[in-house]
C-alpha cells in the first residue's frame, strides 16, 4: 500500500496536512528526522504511517502513560496492531507482550523511557528487527527545557546497544533553538532532516479579559456554551476547589482535578471528562499532560499562567480536531502578585546560589512577558508567534484584540486627587470611603469619619463612584497605591515618584467591540454549515457515538471525531461508498461502526424531510 492508501484505509483521511508528507518521505528514505510541529498538527501519523511501511518494528518512546494507552487504543481500533509496555503492566503481561512482539504480532510498540534499560526489553530488541525508534515529546531530553526527564538520556544508550542502527525520528511541539540543538546532539541524530512547522494554530481564537468579575464571566460563558467541552485552569488548588464548589452548586456538570486529590479521584474525574460524562473540568496545571481529547472547544485561564510556554501549551489543548475553539485568559492584577509570590517562595534543592539567582531572573522575565501579553492592545496571535520567533505581517483579524477598538483616556489629574485623598486618610480607610469622599457623597459614615471636611471631598464630583473605583484599581495595578491584606483592607500610598516627576501618566483603557465576539468566532465553525435540522442530526450521531463508546469502553473521540460526524451530516451518506467518502472514516472503522451510523442517518432523513446543510444548498 502507498502512504496515501494507508492514510485512507486506516485513518480515513483523504489528504495529508501541511508538512506530514515530507516527513514521511524523509523517513522512508532512511533518514533521521527532527520535526517540530504545534499540538494538533498531526504528528502521530508522521511516524505511524512509515511504521506500517518499514519492514520491522517501530519503537515509540513516550513519557506519558495515559497518552500511550490512548494511542494504542486508537491504533487497534483503526485496525493497526500495536502494544504498549509500561509500569501499568505486570511482569507476566510484559513477557507475554514481548513474546508476541518477537513473533511479529505488532508493528508499533510504545514504551516508557525507563523500560529501555531493562534486561528483557533489550534482549527482545536485540533479537528482533527494529526499523525505527521514534522519540515523542523529544524536548524532554533537554536540560534547558521545563520538562527535562533524566530517563530520556537512556534512549541513546539503548540505540547504541542494538546490533545495527535504526532510523531515529524525534517529534516535539515546543522547542526553542537551544532545545532543538540539544535534541539533535543528545539523541545523536545523524544528519537529520529538520522540519519546523509554524506555531500558528489558525482555528484558535485568543482573547484576554481584564476583569475583576471572573466568576460571573465564567458562568455567563458556560451558559452560552452549554454542552461544549471546556477546560478551566486555575493557579492554585484553592481556586480550583472554590470555583468547582460554586459551579457544582449552581448545577453545572463539572469535574475538578489537582495534585492535592487522591490518584483515584483524579483518574475518575479525568475519565468523566474524556468520556464526555461532564463537559467541563476545572483544574490546576497538573491536568492535561497526555490528554489528547480532540473536541475541547474552549480553554479558559482563570488566572494568568507563569510563562508564555505554559500558556501556549495549556491553551493549545483546545481544538485539536482543527475546529474553531476559544482560548480566553482572565486577567487581574492580583494574578501578577500571586505569581510573583509563587516565584519568590520557590525553592530548588541542591542548587548554587548564583544558579538560583539566574533561574529567578529568568522566571521573572517570563512572567513579565506573560503580563505584557495580558496588557497589549495589539494582535494577540502575533504577540504569541513573535515570542516563539516567527515574524508576522499583519494583524490576524481572528483574536479578541483585533476585534476591539481600544480607547485610552488620560486620568493623571484625577489620579493626583486620589493620592491626596489617601494621604488625608492617613492610610486608615478602604476603597469605599475614598471613592465616596472624592465623589462628594452625602453619607452619614463619611461625616462620622470627618472625611467630608477633607480638601479632596467632592473634588471628583464629575466621575461616578464606579469610575473612581476603576481608576483606583488601575492605580493599584500601576503600583501607585496598594491594599493591605487584612480582613478590612485599607488603601495606602505606593511608589508615586514617577507621577510626581511627571514621567508617567495614569491611563484608563476602555474598548468597544467592533463585532460581537461570539458571532465572529463562531463564524467559521463547521457546525455553521448545518441547518437547524442538520444540527439535530449531529446531536443524534453524537448520542450514538456515546452509546458505542460505553459499549466499547472507549473515549468517544477515538471512535469518530466531531469533525467526522459533522461531515456525515453534510454528506448524509446512504451506502458504504458514500460513507467511506466522509472525512475520518477508514475501512476498518467502517466495518466496525459504519452501518450503525448509516442506519441512524437514514432513520433521521426519512422522518425529517429537510435540508441539512447550507453548503449543499449553495452548490
Ligand atoms: P499532535 O500529536 O501533533 O498534537 P495528533 O497526531 O494527535 O496531533 O493529531 C491531531 C488530530 O488531527 C487527530 O485527531 C488526527 O486524527 C487528526 N489528523 C492528523 N492528520 C490528519 C490529516 N491528514 N487529515 C485530517 N486529520 C488529521
Ligand atoms: Zn489578532
Amino acid at each position: 500500500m502507498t502512504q496515501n492508501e494507508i492514510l485512507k484505509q486506516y485513518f480515513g483521511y483523504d489528504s495529508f496536512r501541511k508538512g506530514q508528507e515530507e516527513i514521511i518521505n524523509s523517513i522512508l528514505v532512511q533518514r533521521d528526522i527532527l520535526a517540530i510541529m504545534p499540538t494538533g498538527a498531526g504528528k502521530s501519523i508522521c511516524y505511524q504511517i512509515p511504521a506500517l511501511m518499514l519492514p520491522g518494528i517501530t519503537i515509540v518512546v513516550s513519557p506519558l502513560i495515559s497518552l500511550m494507552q490512548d494511542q494504542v487504543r486508537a491504533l487497534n481500533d483503526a485496525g493497526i496492531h500495536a502494544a504498549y509496555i509500561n509500569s501499568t503492566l505486570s511482569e507476566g503481561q510484559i513477557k507475554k507482550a514481548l513474546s508476541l512482539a518477537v513473533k511479529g504480532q505488532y508493528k508499533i510498540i510504545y514504551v516508557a523511557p525507563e523500560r529501555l534499560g531493562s534486561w528483557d526489553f533489550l534482549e527482545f530488541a536485540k533479537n528482533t528487527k527494529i526499523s525505527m525508534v521514534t522519540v515523542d515529546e523529544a524536548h524532554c531530553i533537554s536540560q534547558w527545557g521545563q520538562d527535562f526527564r533524566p530517563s530520556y538520556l537512556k534512549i541513546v544508550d539503548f540505540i547504541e546497544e542494538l546490533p545495527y542502527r535504526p532510523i531515529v525520528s524525534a517529534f516535539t511541539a515546543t522547542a526553542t533553538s537551544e532545545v532543538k540543538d540539544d535534541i539533535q546532539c543528545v539523541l545523536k541524530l545523524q544528519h537529520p532532516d529538520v522540519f519546523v512547522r509554524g506555531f500558528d494554530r489558525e482555528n484558535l481564537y485568543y482573547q484576554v479579559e481584564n476583569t475583576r468579575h471572573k466568576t460571573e464571566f465564567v458562568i455567563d460563558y458556560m451558559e452560552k456554551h452549554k454542552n461544549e467541552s471546556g477546560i478551566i485552569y486555575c493557579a492554585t488548588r484553592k481556586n480550583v476547589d472554590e470555583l468547582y464548589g460554586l459551579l457544582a452548586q449552581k448545577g453545572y456538570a463539572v469535574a475538578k482535578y489537582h495534585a492535592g486529590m487522591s490518584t483515584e479521584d483524579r483518574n475518575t474525574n479525568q475519565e468523566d471528562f474524556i468520556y464526555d460524562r461532564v463537559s467541563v473540568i476545572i483544574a490546576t496545571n497538573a491536568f492535561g499532560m497526555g490528554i489528547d481529547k480532540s473536541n475541547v472547544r474552549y480553554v479558559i485561564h482563570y488566572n494568568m499562567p507563569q510563562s508564555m510556554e505554559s500558556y501556549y501549551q495549556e491553551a493549545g489543548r483546545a481544538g485539536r480536531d482543527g475546529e474553531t475553539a476559544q482560548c480566553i485568559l482572565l486577567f487581574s492584577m492580583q494574578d501578577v502578585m500571586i505569581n510573583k509570590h509563587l516565584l519568590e517562595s520557590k525553592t530548588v534543592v541542591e542548587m548554587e546560589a548564583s544558579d538560583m539567582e539566574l533561574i529567578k531572573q529568568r522566571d521573572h522575565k517570563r512572567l513579565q512577558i506573560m503580563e505584557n501579553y495580558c496588557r497589549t492592545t495589539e494582535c494577540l496571535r502575533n504577540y504569541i508567534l513573535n515570542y516563539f520567533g516567527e515574524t508576522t505581517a499583519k494583524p490576524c483579524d481572528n483574536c479578541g484584540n483585533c476585534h476591539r477598538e481600544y480607547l485610552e483616556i488620560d486620568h493623571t489629574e484625577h489620579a493626583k486627587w486620589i493620592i491626596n485623598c489617601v494621604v488625608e486618610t492617613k492610610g486608615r480607610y478602604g476603597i469605599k470611603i475614598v471613592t465616596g469622599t472624592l465623589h462628594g457623597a452625602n453619607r452619614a459614615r463619611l461625616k462620622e469619619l470627618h472625611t467630608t471636611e477633607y480638601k479632596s471631598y467632592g473634588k471628583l464630583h464629575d466621575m461616578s463612584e464606579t469610575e473612581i473605583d476603576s481608576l483606583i484599581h488601575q492605580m493599584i495595578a500601576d503600583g501607585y497605591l496598594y491594599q493591605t491584606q487584612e480582613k478590612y483592607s485599607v488603601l495606602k500610598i505606593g511608589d508615586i515618584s514617577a507621577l510626581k516627576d511627571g514621567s508617567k501618566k495614569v491611563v484608563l483603557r476602555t474598548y468597544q467591540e467592533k463585532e460581537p465576539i461570539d458571532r465572529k468566532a463562531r463564524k467559521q465553525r463547521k457546525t455553521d454549515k448545518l441547518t437547524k435540522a442538520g444540527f439535530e442530526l449531529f446531536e443524534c450521531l453524537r448520542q450514538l457515538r456515546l452509546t458505542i463508546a460505553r459499549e466499547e469502553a472507549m473515549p468517544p473521540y477515538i471512535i469518530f471525531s466531531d469533525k467526522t460526524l459533522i461531515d456525515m451530516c453534510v454528506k448524509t451518506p446512504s451506502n458504504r461508498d458514500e460513507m467511506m467518502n466522509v472525512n475520518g472514516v477508514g475501512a476498518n472503522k467502517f466495518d466496525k461502526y459504519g452501518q450503525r451510523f448509516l442506519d441512524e442517518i437514514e432513520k433521521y432523513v426519512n422522518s425529517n424531510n429537510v435540508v441539512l446543510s447550507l453548503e449543499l444548498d449553495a452548490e
Side-chain angles (χ1 to χ4, degrees):
M1 265 199 273
T2 66
Q3 56 206 59
N4 276 294
E5 284 163 356
I6 293 177
L7 183 69
K8 184 68 200 162
Q9 164 88 15
Y10 292 104
F11 300 96
Y13 301 129
D14 290 323
S15 56
F16 284 105
R17 287 194 186 146
K18 232 197 285 180
Q20 288 179 324
E21 210 166 6
E22 291 84 340
I23 295 173
I24 293 172
N25 286 335
S26 254
I27 293 176
L28 290 177
V29 296
Q30 309 278 321
R31 294 191 61 107
D32 282 1
I33 65 117
L34 165 59
I36 301 163
M37 299 163 92
T39 313
K43 282 183 281 296
S44 330
I45 278 179
C46 299
Y47 58 81
Q48 287 165 350
I49 289 183
L52 292 176
M53 300 174 77
L54 293 167
I57 294 175
T58 289
I59 294 191
V60 182
V61 184
S62 167
L64 301 159
I65 289 174
S66 61
L67 195 84
M68 249 184 237
Q69 291 168 340
D70 251 25
Q71 292 262 13
V72 167
R73 246 195 298 195
L75 284 171
N76 283 306
D77 197 40
I80 297 167
H81 296 291
Y84 59 80
I85 292 179
N86 61 33
S87 56
T88 63
L89 302 183
S90 67
E91 285 303 317
Q93 286 172 312
I94 292 178
K95 272 213 171 67
K96 173 120 192 280
L98 290 179
S99 74
L100 285 173
V102 172
K103 290 187 193 132
Q105 176 71 24
Y106 309 116
K107 283 304 280 181
I108 305 178
I109 297 177
Y110 282 77
V111 56
E114 299 79 26
R115 273 297 135 188
L116 295 172
S118 80
W119 185 84
D120 48 350
F121 192 80
L122 255 173
E123 268 311 293
F124 147 76
K126 282 185 191 166
N127 293 303
T128 327
K129 166 97 185 139
I130 309 288
S131 290
M132 173 160 73
V133 172
T134 293
V135 183
D136 201 9
E137 312 285 351
H139 61 280
C140 291
I141 207 168
S142 169
Q143 310 199 32
W144 283 105
Q146 293 178 322
D147 303 318
F148 173 57
R149 299 244 175 170
S151 58
Y152 258 57
L153 300 173
K154 292 203 177 109
I155 299 173
V156 197
D157 300 339
F158 170 75
I159 293 172
E160 288 178 346
E161 286 274 343
L162 296 176
Y164 49 87
R165 190 176 180 285
I167 305 165
V168 180
S169 54
F171 293 82
T172 175
T174 46
T176 57
S177 61
E178 286 147 341
V179 174
K180 195 168 105 189
D181 294 344
D182 243 18
I183 295 173
Q184 299 195 44
C185 290
V186 182
L187 265 184
K188 298 195 183 158
L189 297 182
Q190 296 178 356
H191 312 290
D193 285 337
V194 179
F195 300 88
V196 183
R197 159 95 153 66
F199 274 88
D200 191 16
R201 306 233 351 241
E202 287 166 17
N203 61 321
L204 298 189
Y205 184 94
Y206 298 101
Q207 184 182 336
V208 174
E209 288 298 323
N210 193 332
T211 175
R212 279 181 283 129
H213 308 288
K214 296 182 173 186
T215 328
E216 290 83 346
F217 183 95
V218 169
I219 291 173
D220 183 54
Y221 190 90
M222 284 176 65
E223 269 307 307
K224 288 184 182 143
H225 297 83
K226 283 194 173 141
N227 292 327
E228 288 185 11
S229 189
I231 305 174
I232 303 176
Y233 278 112
C234 299
T236 62
R237 297 173 191 182
K238 191 163 151 266
N239 281 155
V240 170
D241 288 335
E242 282 172 5
L243 188 61
Y244 169 80
L246 195 108
L247 293 174
Q249 192 208 359
K250 286 198 179 287
Y252 291 99
V254 290
K256 66 172 179 172
Y257 188 105
H258 60 63
M261 296 160 51
S262 71
T263 316
E264 212 179 312
D265 286 348
R266 270 185 290 166
N267 287 345
T268 314
N269 292 354
Q270 177 169 322
E271 294 233 315
D272 281 348
F273 178 65
I274 287 177
Y275 285 77
D276 283 336
R277 288 190 284 259
V278 299
S279 46
V280 174
I281 193 156
I282 302 156
T284 60
N285 59 8
F287 176 78
M289 282 289 263
I291 303 291
D292 62 358
K293 185 169 172 27
S294 70
N295 66 337
V296 176
R297 292 275 67 85
Y298 61 88
V299 172
I300 295 179
H301 276 76
Y302 198 79
N303 306 102
M304 180 183 86
Q306 293 192 345
S307 72
M308 208 66 221
E309 284 86 353
S310 312
Y311 183 63
Y312 183 79
Q313 193 172 49
E314 287 159 18
R317 296 196 172 114
R320 291 182 68 136
D321 52 10
E323 279 287 281
T324 311
Q326 285 182 290
C327 308
I328 303 173
L329 199 166
L330 305 181
F331 173 70
S332 74
M333 195 51 206
Q334 230 185 345
D335 294 335
V336 179
M337 321 239 229
I338 293 172
N339 276 318
K340 279 193 177 143
H341 180 75
L342 287 176
L343 289 186
E344 281 307 323
S345 55
K346 181 162 130 184
T347 47
V348 184
V349 277
E350 288 173 28
M351 190 173 277
E352 301 272 335
S354 57
D355 286 351
M356 194 62 221
E357 195 44 45
L358 260 174
I359 288 188
K360 267 209 174 122
Q361 277 176 14
R362 189 193 64 185
D363 287 349
H364 278 284
K365 200 172 137 209
R366 285 187 171 154
L367 191 62
Q368 185 61 52
I369 287 165
M370 199 60 232
E371 189 185 334
N372 293 347
Y373 173 79
C374 297
R375 293 185 181 281
T376 184
T377 54
E378 307 287 311
C379 172
L380 293 170
R381 182 183 314 279
N382 286 356
Y383 186 98
I384 296 174
L385 293 177
N386 293 340
Y387 176 72
F388 288 113
E390 288 183 31
T391 45
T392 46
K394 53 180 197 310
C396 72
D397 196 31
N398 187 28
C399 76
N401 280 359
C402 282
H403 292 164
R404 276 175 188 174
E405 203 107 55
Y406 281 98
L407 214 69
E408 296 198 332
I409 300 168
D410 183 346
H411 279 288
T412 313
E413 289 311 308
H414 296 144
K416 285 182 179 160
W417 275 114
I418 292 176
I419 299 219
N420 284 346
C421 184
V422 175
V423 170
E424 282 179 296
T425 67
K426 301 200 174 68
R428 287 172 303 176
Y429 307 137
I431 291 187
K432 264 217 166 99
I433 301 291
V434 174
T435 51
T437 302
L438 283 158
H439 179 67
N442 185 15
R443 284 204 288 269
R445 180 76 181 138
L446 300 182
K447 291 202 185 92
E448 219 174 278
L449 297 172
H450 300 288
T451 68
T452 45
E453 292 154 28
Y454 286 180
K455 275 211 188 86
S456 58
Y457 181 78
K459 276 291 182 309
L460 299 187
H461 192 69
D462 53 339
M463 291 174 83
S464 71
E465 289 195 51
T466 318
E467 284 171 325
I468 300 173
D469 182 75
S470 300
L471 186 54
I472 289 178
H473 277 95
Q474 182 59 48
M475 291 171 72
I476 294 172
D478 293 341
Y480 302 130
L481 298 173
Y482 68 95
Q483 277 177 297
T484 55
Q485 297 294 328
E486 308 113 21
K487 193 164 169 215
Y488 298 103
S489 77
V490 296
L491 209 51
K492 289 184 183 289
I493 303 286
D495 178 3
I496 53 170
S497 49
L499 269 191
K500 271 188 171 158
D501 66 23
S503 62
K504 284 225 171 112
K505 292 186 181 318
V506 180
V507 174
L508 258 194
R509 193 196 285 164
T510 59
Y511 63 82
Q512 271 182 322
E513 302 292 352
K514 290 190 206 160
E515 197 174 342
I517 289 170
D518 265 4
R519 179 143 51 91
K520 193 119 192 178
R522 239 190 279 121
K523 228 178 186 168
Q524 315 120 329
R525 238 179 228 199
K526 286 278 187 328
T527 41
D528 279 7
K529 279 194 211 154
L530 303 178
T531 58
K532 190 151 166 283
F535 205 77
E536 260 172 43
L537 174 59
F538 175 56
E539 287 299 326
C540 294
L541 298 183
R542 263 166 52 128
Q543 210 47 50
L544 172 61
R545 179 179 64 180
L546 201 61
T547 311
I548 298 177
R550 291 202 173 127
E551 290 166 12
E552 308 261 326
M554 220 155 15
Y557 62 86
I558 286 190
I559 293 169
F560 284 128
S561 70
D562 281 5
K563 209 170 171 166
T564 299
L565 297 190
I566 293 167
D567 207 32
M568 284 185 198
C569 298
V570 172
K571 294 185 175 140
T572 51
S574 58
N575 56 43
R576 185 179 194 274
D577 277 358
E578 285 175 19
M579 186 57 119
M580 290 285 291
N581 213 3
V582 168
N583 197 300
V585 182
N588 236 285
K589 287 276 176 81
F590 181 86
D591 292 344
K592 276 194 181 159
Y593 317 117
Q595 196 53 48
R596 290 175 76 175
F597 281 88
L598 279 176
D599 292 346
E600 188 71 25
I601 293 167
E602 187 182 308
K603 196 170 93 197
Y604 189 85
V605 173
N606 283 344
S607 57
N608 302 275
N609 188 16
V610 281
V611 181
L612 298 172
S613 150
L614 299 172
E615 205 179 50
L616 292 182
D617 239 12
E619 272 169 11

